[in-house]
Amino acid sequence: ARRASVSLRYLPGLVELLVSDDGRGFEAGARSADHLGLRIMMERTEAIGGRLRIDSGPGRGTEVEVVWQQQSSA
């Protein structure tokens, strides 16, 4: 990758983390959850009750987004 960016946004009750690069990417559907890096990201996101999104493709870089939203106590 030649470029990478990290964005962190905080609002009351909401945190969004976005990491992206312009690297070689990968076929997201072809990687299994057994892949160490993906598994660790999924486990850590699940542990905080967040949502993980990975968007990648050969030749178009990768974007990883983690969103944590506080659950309302109604």
Side-chain angles (χ1 to χ4, degrees):
R2 292 179 180 250
R3 293 183 187 191
S5 67
V6 177
S7 169
L8 180 64
R9 183 171 83 139
Y10 168 79
L11 299 168
L14 177 74
V15 177
E16 294 178 335
L17 172 65
L18 180 65
V19 180
S20 61
D21 69 39
D22 66 351
R24 64 183 178 177
F26 60 93
E27 188 62 50
R31 298 282 177 143
S32 73
D34 293 338
H35 189 270
L36 182 61
L38 296 177
R39 187 177 74 228
I40 290 170
M41 285 190 283
M42 291 191 313
E43 287 174 358
R44 291 185 178 183
T45 302
E46 184 179 300
I48 64 168
R51 184 182 80 240
L52 173 68
R53 180 182 64 82
I54 300 172
D55 182 26
S56 188
R60 64 178 182 89
T62 301
E63 188 173 271
V64 176
E65 178 184 50
V66 175
V67 177
W68 173 85
Q69 188 166 7
Q70 184 176 14
Q71 301 298 316
S72 62
S73 55

